[in-house]
């Protein structure tokens, strides 16, 4: 576990980890559950990893929890270069964003030793594609956590973006149902209560 | 994947995850790598999980990376009730803290369905005991990440706590060496350069 090659790898990894630190200053639209401030993408990623650790039983098909966790730990790193795009924004903006994110992924995972960087880059690509069972569940968690924050803050970004009950269903509910239908069913009463009241 | 029992478990898990959100407001002594503000314990836990994901090869003995990651994701949750105690504080304060943390662990992991809560509580206890290979490596990462932040900020908490080179060696270096000696060796030149200059 020593030698010139491993020394170079250590340096590369520490460089990647120093760069990753910048995700702590990327702010999302969503706030903390206490509404005190906007959430950053690093703590969001930690929270999602905890969601996967505790909610894997609710995945629609069996998942490899450890892979889902790894996916969620790295899924937002591209925002360091490309920024965050709130989910309730126009589709045209979302398409323009994809190229920026692809470049960001190449640069950031490229900081790591080659094989390790390629493996994490592939895991990120899998998350973005959202077709594997692990990715579909990871995406469901990424969508459901802001819902819990909005419910905790009596509306949160639903109010600031004028989100309707129908828009929530197509932009968020469909993806949560796809990966974790039982989870969506569990929170539906709270969602309905909120939108009925507003 | 439905039924009354699973519904009750879902509710319990979402309650735990809402409580976990509070870790995002627990501030540590250490700052971000850009020095812009103090780091919170949620984003710190995310960063450590990334450390484990990329640096597992440097563990002194083979580790189960996924267990190390799970351990690091939950290791600071007790701070929600017990607060953070910076490493460079008196030993007497640290002992008084242990009882608070044990109570916090019982309450927080007790929010989860019984078997799951017991498993995560055991993982936290293993981390605290710092005797298993996985825990020794996890502790090494928990100690080395603030060192990288202090190096990035030209001293950071070493300056605010008047930490000497010898104190750093006994409070931090010994634990990093124990779990990841190659990692400590890799950053020693930067550490020596800093303490020689001050
Ligand atoms: Ca595994």
């Amino acid at each position: 576990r020593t030698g010139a090659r491993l020394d170079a790898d250590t340096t590369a990894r520490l460089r990647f980890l120093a760069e990753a630190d910048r995700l702590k200053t990327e702010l999302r639209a969503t706030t903390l559950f206490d509404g005190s401030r906007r959430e950053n993408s690093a703590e969001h990623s930690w929270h999602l990893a905890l969601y996967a650790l505790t909610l894997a039983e609710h995945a629609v098909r069996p998942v490899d929890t450890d892979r889902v966790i790894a996916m969620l730990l790295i899924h937002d790193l591209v925002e360091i270069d490309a920024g965050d795009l709130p989910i309730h924004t126009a589709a045209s903006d979302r398409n323009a964003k994809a190229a920026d994110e692809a470049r960001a992924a190449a640069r950031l995972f490229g900081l790591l030793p080659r094989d390790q960087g390629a493996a994490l880059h592939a895991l990120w690509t899998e998350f973005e594609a959202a077709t594997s069972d692990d990715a579909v569940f990871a995406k469901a968690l990424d969508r459901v956590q802001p819902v819990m924050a909005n419910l905790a803050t009596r509306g949160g970004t639903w109010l600031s973006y004028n989100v309707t009950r129908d828009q929530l269903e197509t932009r968020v509910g469909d993806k949560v149902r796809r990966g974790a239908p039982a989870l969506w069913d569990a929170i539906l009463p709270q969602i309905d209560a909120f939108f009925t009241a507003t």
Side-chain angles (χ1 to χ4, degrees), chain A:
Chain A
R1 295 171 188 282
T2 50
R5 172 62 193 276
L6 196 57
D7 288 351
D9 286 355
T10 314
T11 305
R13 286 162 179 154
L14 291 174
R15 175 84 189 78
F16 168 82
L17 291 165
E19 194 75 2
D21 197 79
R22 295 169 55 199
L23 197 61
K24 298 171 188 171
T25 59
E26 274 306 320
L27 296 182
R28 296 164 44 78
T30 314
T31 67
L32 302 192
F33 283 37
D34 68 3
S36 60
R37 61 164 172 81
R38 285 168 68 190
E39 185 185 40
N40 71 62
S41 294
E43 62 198 3
H44 165 69
S45 299
W46 166 79
H47 209 184
L48 289 183
L50 265 195
Y51 269 66
L53 189 65
T54 54
L55 292 169
E57 193 181 353
H58 305 291
V60 66
R61 278 182 296 277
V63 290
D64 181 337
T65 308
D66 299 324
R67 285 192 87 237
V68 174
I69 289 173
M71 215 176 254
L72 290 168
L73 289 173
I74 62 162
H75 83 291
D76 270 345
L77 280 175
V78 292
E79 293 179 7
I80 289 170
D81 289 355
D84 177 50
L85 198 66
I87 183 178
H88 301 297
T89 46
S92 57
D93 293 341
R94 304 197 69 76
N95 292 337
K97 196 68 175 235
D100 289 350
E101 293 187 344
R103 263 191 303 276
R107 184 185 80 78
L108 288 161
F109 297 120
L111 295 172
L112 287 166
R114 197 182 54 184
D115 291 355
Q116 187 170 49
L120 292 183
H121 196 158
L123 198 63
W124 176 79
T125 304
E126 180 181 334
F127 173 81
E128 287 294 307
T131 50
S132 74
D133 289 349
D134 289 349
V136 166
F137 182 57
K139 283 272 181 190
L141 297 180
D142 190 30
R143 284 291 192 276
V144 86
Q145 185 257 8
V147 171
M148 302 315 295
N150 283 346
L151 286 171
T153 52
R154 299 172 188 275
T157 57
W158 295 334
L159 298 178
S160 34
Y161 287 88
N162 293 308
V163 177
T164 67
R165 179 73 181 78
D166 282 351
Q167 288 171 333
L168 182 69
E169 199 60 49
T170 52
R171 296 175 188 170
V172 178
D174 285 357
K175 289 204 173 60
V176 179
R177 272 189 215 280
R178 197 169 158 228
L183 210 49
W184 192 248
D185 290 346
I187 59 176
L188 258 188
Q190 293 173 71
I191 291 171
D192 286 333
F194 173 82
F195 282 96
T196 303
T198 50

